[in-house]
C-alpha cells in the first residue's frame, strides 16, 4: 500500500514539474521564430539569435517568445550616426525609453512583436531594459 502512495506522489510531482516545460523548453531552442512571424525571439534573458544580418531596407521583427516582459531598446551611441533610433514603444532616445520603463512603457508582453526597418548600413546594438543586468543584448548588422 505504501508503494502505491509513494508512486502516486512521485508521479504527481513529476507531472507538476513538467507542466512548465513548454516555456522552459523554449529557452533551449536556438531559433524560436519560424517563417515570416519573426526573425528574433526572446527567451528569459537572451535574444535568439543574438546577432542577425539584414540588407538595407529590410524590416526585422522581434517576438517575445517567453513569459517575461521585455523591451527592444537601441543603445544611443552604438548605432550608425545617420540611423534612426529605435525602441519598442516608439521612444526617440535611450533616456526616454529608460524613463518610460518606470511605468512599463515599451513593454513587450508574451507573444507580442516589435518591428523596425533598417535604412542605414552598419552595426546596431540593442538591449532589453529589464534584463540589461543579465546582459540581454543583441546586434543587427545591416549590409548594402
Amino acid at each position: 500500500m505504501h508503494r502505491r502512495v509513494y508512486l502516486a506522489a512521485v508521479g504527481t510531482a513529476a507531472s507538476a514539474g513538467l507542466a512548465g516545460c513548454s516555456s522552459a523548453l523554449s529557452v533551449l531552442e536556438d531559433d524560436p521564430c519560424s517563417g515570416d512571424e519573426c526573425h528574433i525571439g526572446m527567451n528569459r534573458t537572451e535574444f535568439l539569435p543574438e546577432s542577425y544580418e539584414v540588407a538595407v531596407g529590410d524590416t526585422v521583427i522581434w517576438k517575445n517568445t517567453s513569459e517575461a516582459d521585455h523591451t527592444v531598446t537601441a543603445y544611443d551611441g552604438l548605432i550608425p550616426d545617420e540611423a534612426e533610433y529605435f525602441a519598442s514603444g516608439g521612444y526617440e532616445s535611450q533616456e526616454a525609453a529608460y524613463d518610460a520603463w518606470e511605468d512599463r512603457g515599451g513593454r513587450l508582453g508574451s507573444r507580442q512583436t516589435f518591428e523596425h526597418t533598417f535604412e542605414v548600413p552598419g552595426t546596431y546594438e540593442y538591449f532589453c531594459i529589464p534584463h540589461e543586468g543579465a546582459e540581454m543584448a543583441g546586434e543587427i548588422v545591416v549590409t548594402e
Side-chain angles (χ1 to χ4, degrees), residues 40 49-60 62 78-80 86 118-126 138-144:
I40 300 172
E50 187 176 308
S51 182
Y52 191 73
E53 187 173 322
V54 296
V56 169
D58 285 351
T59 299
V60 174
W62 288 262
L78 298 176
I79 64 175
F86 65 96
F118 293 87
E119 301 292 348
V120 177
T123 300
Y124 296 70
E125 295 190 33
Y126 65 93
E139 72 174 5
I140 304 295
V141 178
V142 181
T143 60
E144 290 193 61

Side-chain angles (χ1 to χ4, degrees), residues 20-102:
C21 279
S22 63
S23 62
L25 288 176
S26 69
V27 170
L28 302 176
E29 295 178 27
D30 288 337
D31 184 7
C33 292
S34 60
D36 294 330
E37 185 178 305
C38 64
H39 303 105
I40 300 172
M42 301 171 211
N43 73 17
R44 189 75 177 145
T45 57
E46 292 179 290
F47 291 103
L48 301 170
E50 187 176 308
S51 182
Y52 191 73
E53 187 173 322
V54 296
V56 169
D58 285 351
T59 299
V60 174
I61 303 171
W62 288 262
K63 182 176 183 179
N64 183 350
T65 53
S66 78
E67 301 303 317
D69 289 342
H70 294 294
T71 70
V72 175
T73 310
Y75 284 111
D76 273 328
L78 298 176
I79 64 175
D81 290 337
E82 306 81 29
E84 177 185 356
Y85 183 81
F86 65 96
S88 52
Y91 305 103
E92 295 184 13
S93 70
Q94 187 176 336
E95 182 179 350
Y98 277 130
D99 290 344
W101 180 251
E102 291 178 20

